[in-house]
Amino acid sequence: MTIAFVENGVRRQIAVSRIEYLAGEGNYSRIHFVDRGPVLVSYCLKVMEGQLTDFVRIHKATLVNPRHITGVSLGKYRDASIFLSGGRTLPVSRRRVTLISNQLC
């Protein structure tokens, strides 16, 4: 599966498997890849979530590719973090801790 976006006026298609996670920035989304720098696209995270149905929403502003999740850390105060294959650690919102722990653990 691929996703299309415009970068510097050039339309590009990239394999979804190369996307590590997406970060929402208002009406824009920043796509973070495994093998290259991030790209800002003019679609809100909700639109991107509709296209990337197997991705997991871990926060109001974060959508993660489950293929790149290497671990989950559950704290004792309803806090949690996701560890990604690229070495990043992302927080899970308190409202989504139970859902995420059931999906991934």
Side-chain angles (χ1 to χ4, degrees):
M1 183 172 156
T2 62
I3 190 165
F5 60 91
V6 177
E7 180 183 27
N8 298 327
V10 178
R11 183 178 166 90
R12 302 201 187 276
Q13 282 201 315
I14 194 155
V16 171
S17 62
R18 293 176 54 196
I19 299 173
E20 191 172 34
Y21 72 100
L22 293 91
E25 298 181 14
N27 289 330
Y28 298 89
S29 296
R30 191 169 302 274
I31 304 174
H32 293 264
F33 299 96
V34 175
D35 54 356
R36 60 171 285 181
V39 173
L40 187 67
V41 296
S42 61
Y43 300 106
C44 66
L45 204 57
K46 187 171 184 168
V47 170
M48 298 301 290
E49 185 177 21
Q51 294 178 3
L52 304 168
T53 55
D54 57 337
F55 278 46
V56 178
R57 188 81 172 246
I58 63 166
H59 196 278
K60 177 182 174 183
T62 311
L63 194 59
V64 178
N65 187 341
R67 294 182 194 119
H68 293 290
I69 296 174
T70 58
V72 179
S73 171
L74 300 173
K76 54 183 163 181
Y77 300 107
R78 282 190 48 104
D79 59 329
S81 297
I82 297 281
F83 302 103
L84 300 177
S85 58
R88 291 183 175 90
T89 302
L90 300 174
V92 177
S93 71
R94 285 179 285 156
R95 290 182 177 193
R96 298 180 191 267
V97 168
T98 304
L99 178 67
I100 298 302
S101 63
N102 290 340
Q103 281 183 329
L104 302 175
C105 294

